[in-house]
Amino acid sequence: MQTTIGQFSRRVASFGAAVAAVAGTLSAMPAAAETRVSMLVVSGDVSDVSAGFGGAIFGAEPTLIDYVDAIRTVAETDAADALVIRLRDAAIDPTDVEELGAASETAQDAGLKVHLFTEMLGTTEALLGARCDEVIVQAGGPVSLPGLHMEEIFLADTFAWLGLEADMIQVGAYKGANEMYTRSTPSDAWDENISGLLDAQWDEITGAITKGRGLSQKQLDDALASLWFATAEDAVRTGLADAAVDL
């Protein structure tokens, strides 16, 4: 059985195949004549704030708070045995993942199984999936987990070409606000700063995925080595997803 969540009913289309897949994987639940499955569709840009007066007149898309409240409502009302969060071309960022993930854990604490269905699997989708009981990806859907990178611009050579020179005072080796304008390459101290930041962020990402997916660091490293440009079936094979479903 498929139910929808309050004000989001207008956003829910036929989801029979995925609901059937979810119902078939609830092996940890007692056998019952009917499994109650609620679905929340998250699509488009997920805004942190409402559209205000314009939204009241022309209609507004749900905000992050709306999605979080919807998940908590299902958990509090005992309206379902399982919740499917469907990402449909959703532009979610790490902050959205943290809020949706925390709400999903609230639903899990209330006894619900939480399943993520996504049409593609990237880093943010993988992080949200790590907070859910199951990850389902559209069969043949793209999977890309390329890691982290950062681009920096250094303008000293450009300024020299224009006959200009930036004149700034820096106090402390690790104070690098002027490096963009005064150097053509990063200093050792600035390179250490940025490398440390990226390493810390990557450790946080991989730590969340290994914990949520029950993988060792080596298993995740092996998976990431092959998932920089892959498909849903590859994600299932390497343990980043549980099923590939064709809708």
Side-chain angles (χ1 to χ4, degrees):
M1 173 182 175
Q2 176 185 350
T3 61
T4 59
I5 303 175
Q7 70 189 79
F8 298 98
S9 59
R10 65 184 177 84
R11 301 175 62 81
V12 178
S14 175
F15 201 54
V19 171
V22 169
T25 60
L26 299 181
S27 57
M29 297 180 60
E34 186 177 81
T35 299
R36 300 171 301 160
V37 180
S38 290
M39 181 178 66
L40 175 65
V41 179
V42 181
S43 64
D45 292 329
V46 179
S47 174
D48 294 334
V49 297
S50 66
F53 182 72
I57 297 177
F58 301 106
E61 294 298 308
T63 65
L64 175 61
I65 294 175
D66 293 326
Y67 289 126
V68 169
D69 286 346
I71 295 173
R72 289 176 176 165
T73 296
V74 175
E76 294 169 358
T77 58
D78 190 30
D81 303 307
L83 170 66
V84 177
I85 300 174
R86 179 177 184 178
L87 302 182
R88 179 186 290 162
D89 296 325
I92 59 175
D93 60 30
T95 299
D96 301 327
V97 168
E98 183 61 32
E99 295 297 330
L100 293 170
S104 297
E105 290 174 354
T106 299
Q108 290 167 326
D109 291 341
L112 276 74
K113 294 293 184 180
V114 180
H115 306 259
L116 176 71
F117 177 86
T118 177
E119 295 170 350
M120 61 85 65
L121 188 68
T123 303
T124 50
E125 291 82 10
L127 282 170
L128 181 56
R131 308 283 286 270
C132 300
D133 294 289
E134 184 179 46
V135 178
I136 305 170
V137 186
Q138 169 68 38
V143 173
S144 181
L145 295 160
L148 292 178
H149 79 284
M150 182 175 182
E151 296 181 1
E152 297 182 271
I153 298 175
F154 295 91
L155 299 173
D157 290 343
T158 302
F159 285 169
W161 179 69
L162 294 170
L164 303 174
E165 182 180 1
D167 185 11
M168 301 177 180
I169 297 175
Q170 175 175 312
V171 180
Y174 291 90
K175 302 293 186 179
N178 69 340
E179 296 213 1
M180 173 180 176
Y181 307 100
T182 61
R183 299 181 61 89
S184 50
T185 60
S187 66
D188 291 341
W190 184 251
D191 187 58
E192 182 183 343
N193 268 345
I194 297 302
S195 296
L197 173 64
L198 293 178
D199 287 343
Q201 290 179 333
W202 185 242
D203 288 344
E204 185 174 350
I205 290 170
T206 57
I209 295 176
T210 54
K211 179 181 177 181
R213 296 297 301 169
L215 300 172
S216 68
Q217 186 61 52
K218 184 181 185 308
Q219 287 174 318
L220 179 58
D221 289 342
D222 291 343
L224 294 175
S226 63
L227 294 180
W228 66 275
F229 187 72
T231 65
E233 290 72 18
D234 296 317
V236 174
R237 174 179 53 80
T238 56
L240 267 295
D242 298 287
V245 175
D246 186 17
L247 293 185

